[in-house]
Amino acid sequence: MASFEVIGGNKLKGDIYPQGAKNEALQVLCAVLLTAEPVTISNIPDIRDVNKLIELLIDLGVAVEKESEGTYTFRAENVNLDYLETESFVAQGRAIRGSVMIVGPMLARFGASKMPKPGGDKIGRRRLDTHFIGFEKLGATFSYDAQDSFYSVSAERLQGTHMLLDEASVTGTANILMAAVLAQGTTTIYNAACEPYVQQLCRMLNRMGAKISGIGSNLLTIEGVEKLGGTEHRLLPDMIEIGSFIGLAAMTGSELTIKNCQIAELGLIPDTFQRLGIKMEFRGDDIFIPEQEHYEIDTYIDGSILNVSDHTWPGFTPDLLSVALVVATQAKGTVLIHQKMFESRLFFVDKLIDMGAQIILCDPHRATVIGQNKQIPLRGIRMTSPDIRAGVALLIAALSAEGTSIIDNVEQIDRGYQNIDGRLNALGAQIRRI
């Protein structure tokens, strides 16, 4: 198990380029299974979760050719359905949560698919009901084997239908969408997730020959087609990385320019960090964060304490609440962080409290942060990364702290952030992988 040794207290300076979007990559990589023709995808991040999904596709029989750094061509011409019965598939499927999104494309194209209960972050319950209820509404037969935690679906030909999702699940919407594009007739998905990742998937599928309308809204209409062809697709920059770098600049009092952000696709991310007191300038598609010795949390109009919570898009993404919480520890003022979606995601705050932060964990979903206005710096300690997003939040805390911190289990951070130590060291950080 690898660790980071982090010497805190250094100001960073320079330009940093966000990687391709992890969550988008996991969706569009699964979409290559919908066609036998070549699909070229660029700006793919070199991170563990994405690399594991590419390995799974290769073992399924997808031909993968690396064109250049971050660009791959996929040809799912000879998919081996027998591989779904192997122990190797079980191990791979359980290793990453994104693997569940192979089910929709394979059900649509081959009439059957199965999946072991997937892994991923330990951040609370992450049910898959939305996915499989959607497949059933399209006419698939579903079964779940509780003995070995295996999901199976099959259908001779999916039939278009109207469905109202019980939650605006991003992966659920993507999975059902990929099944519906080859269904017979028209499908409407209401209460669909409309994150930029889903919009990107829809545009990619349309270039492949799908007929999807309502892109960017919560009502998607899909006219089924007989087959899809190849295409080229480029991933968006990762909005979670962009938000993480905004928070990092503020915590360390650094001057950073985050390059090529595609600001129009960031929703309320910049606004939320501005309400935490972080100054920023939009320079074309770059975000410039000036050096700030202090930043002050906003209040509501009546003077009451600000509440930062996660919402469905275009609200603030739950993946950045951990970073927002860390940023607030050194701000001037108080904020309530409300994590609505996952009941275990705030449990990393005990490590911040050990570092000297003033946080009251009200319950599994809410934490009150009393900012210290950088008057009492955090102190370095030894801690363990529990998941991707908490891991990078702890890294930001360690970079701002006095003294040396050790962060164990950094494989969790590697799952979502490409060469994060190397890229931050190039800006003046002191991070050593041990």
Side-chain angles (χ1 to χ4, degrees):
M1 189 169 67
S3 302
F4 282 156
E5 180 187 73
V6 183
I7 300 174
N10 296 298
K11 290 184 185 294
L12 281 58
K13 189 178 179 68
D15 297 347
I16 191 161
Y17 289 80
Q19 68 188 26
K22 166 187 177 281
N23 290 340
E24 180 187 344
L26 298 177
Q27 294 180 22
V28 300
L29 286 171
C30 293
V32 307
L33 291 165
L34 285 164
T35 180
E37 296 184 18
V39 176
T40 300
I41 303 172
S42 59
N43 203 28
I44 295 176
D46 182 12
I47 55 178
R48 291 187 63 181
D49 275 14
V50 170
N51 293 338
K52 283 181 177 293
L53 183 56
I54 292 173
E55 290 172 12
L56 173 56
L57 292 173
I58 291 170
D59 289 342
L60 268 171
V62 179
V64 179
E65 184 175 343
K66 186 173 183 178
E67 307 290 349
S68 60
E69 195 62 42
T71 300
Y72 294 79
T73 295
F74 303 85
R75 189 189 290 268
E77 193 173 14
N78 299 303
V79 176
N80 177 18
L81 297 180
D82 291 337
Y83 184 68
L84 300 180
E85 307 298 331
T86 65
E87 287 299 318
S88 176
F89 172 68
V90 172
Q92 286 178 311
R94 286 187 172 145
I96 53 168
R97 185 170 178 80
S99 60
V100 72
M101 285 182 288
I102 72 168
V103 176
M106 295 191 69
L107 174 65
R109 186 171 163 209
F110 303 109
S113 188
K114 61 191 306 187
M115 191 72 226
K117 187 175 182 179
D121 288 325
K122 306 305 180 190
I123 55 178
R125 289 171 295 173
R126 305 178 74 182
R127 61 188 180 86
L128 296 174
D129 300 51
T130 303
H131 300 241
F132 293 105
I133 290 171
F135 296 147
E136 285 185 306
K137 288 182 177 178
L138 289 170
T141 299
F142 166 70
S143 64
Y144 175 65
D145 187 336
Q147 290 293 106
D148 57 5
S149 298
F150 239 94
Y151 307 90
S152 300
V153 285
S154 61
E156 286 189 16
R157 179 73 192 269
L158 298 175
Q159 298 292 324
T161 187
H162 173 75
M163 66 179 78
L164 174 61
L165 302 189
D166 62 339
E167 63 170 348
S169 163
V170 176
T171 55
T173 299
N175 222 348
I176 296 165
L177 182 68
M178 288 187 281
V181 290
L182 295 180
Q184 191 169 29
T186 299
T187 301
T188 52
I189 306 174
Y190 199 23
N191 195 31
C194 49
E195 271 78 353
Y197 313 133
V198 178
Q199 296 178 42
Q200 284 281 96
L201 174 65
C202 289
R203 295 186 188 106
M204 173 180 164
L205 293 172
N206 278 352
R207 289 195 303 273
M208 294 168 71
K211 295 180 179 179
I212 305 167
S213 57
I215 299 171
S217 77
N218 68 345
L219 177 59
L220 296 174
T221 302
I222 306 104
E223 296 176 48
V225 297
E226 287 296 321
K227 61 179 294 189
L228 296 180
T231 191
E232 294 183 359
H233 181 79
R234 182 172 177 81
L235 301 180
L236 290 172
D238 195 307
M239 68 171 78
I240 314 304
E241 264 215 343
I242 292 168
S244 301
F245 296 148
I246 292 171
L248 170 65
M251 281 287 283
T252 57
S254 300
E255 179 185 299
L256 292 182
T257 299
I258 310 167
K259 305 291 289 185
N260 300 343
C261 293
Q262 296 207 26
I263 294 165
E265 304 289 353
L266 295 179
L268 286 174
I269 291 171
D271 305 68
T272 302
F273 282 109
Q274 284 172 325
R275 296 209 74 178
L276 293 174
I278 301 175
K279 295 176 183 175
M280 63 186 74
E281 298 173 19
F282 297 154
R283 298 177 174 179
D285 232 6
D286 301 342
I287 299 178
F288 172 73
I289 314 293
E291 183 177 328
Q292 285 178 256
E293 287 305 316
H294 301 280
Y295 50 98
E296 184 171 352
I297 298 169
D298 199 0
T299 62
Y300 290 115
I301 292 171
D302 63 359
S304 56
I305 291 173
L306 183 69
N307 181 345
V308 174
S309 59
D310 55 333
H311 295 273
T312 52
W313 188 263
F316 191 63
T317 171
D319 282 346
L320 278 172
L321 272 182
S322 302
V323 174
L325 188 151
V326 166
V327 166
T329 65
Q330 289 299 306
K332 180 181 179 181
T334 300
V335 64
L336 176 69
I337 302 291
H338 189 176
Q339 167 62 266
K340 298 174 183 175
M341 193 172 295
F342 303 111
E343 68 266 28
S344 303
R345 208 166 204 173
L346 294 181
F347 288 165
F348 79 103
V349 301
D350 61 335
K351 300 168 181 66
L352 296 174
I353 293 169
D354 289 345
M355 296 179 81
Q358 294 201 334
I359 304 170
I360 302 166
L361 187 60
C362 310
D363 57 44
H365 292 276
R366 296 177 303 157
T368 301
V369 185
I370 300 95
Q372 305 197 73
N373 195 23
K374 296 192 176 180
Q375 298 300 303
I376 306 173
L378 300 177
R379 56 181 174 267
I381 63 167
R382 186 164 201 140
M383 48 196 159
T384 299
S385 170
D387 65 73
I388 300 174
R389 307 309 175 188
V392 87
L394 292 174
L395 177 60
I396 291 170
L399 286 165
S400 75
E402 284 187 344
T404 300
S405 296
I406 304 293
I407 305 175
D408 296 320
N409 194 29
V410 296
E411 288 86 355
Q412 286 285 356
I413 301 174
D414 292 336
R415 288 178 47 217
Y417 292 84
Q418 177 177 315
N419 185 29
I420 190 67
D421 47 334
R423 288 192 289 158
L424 294 183
N425 285 342
L427 299 173
Q430 287 186 269
I431 307 169
R432 188 167 69 94
R433 192 177 289 261
I434 55 177

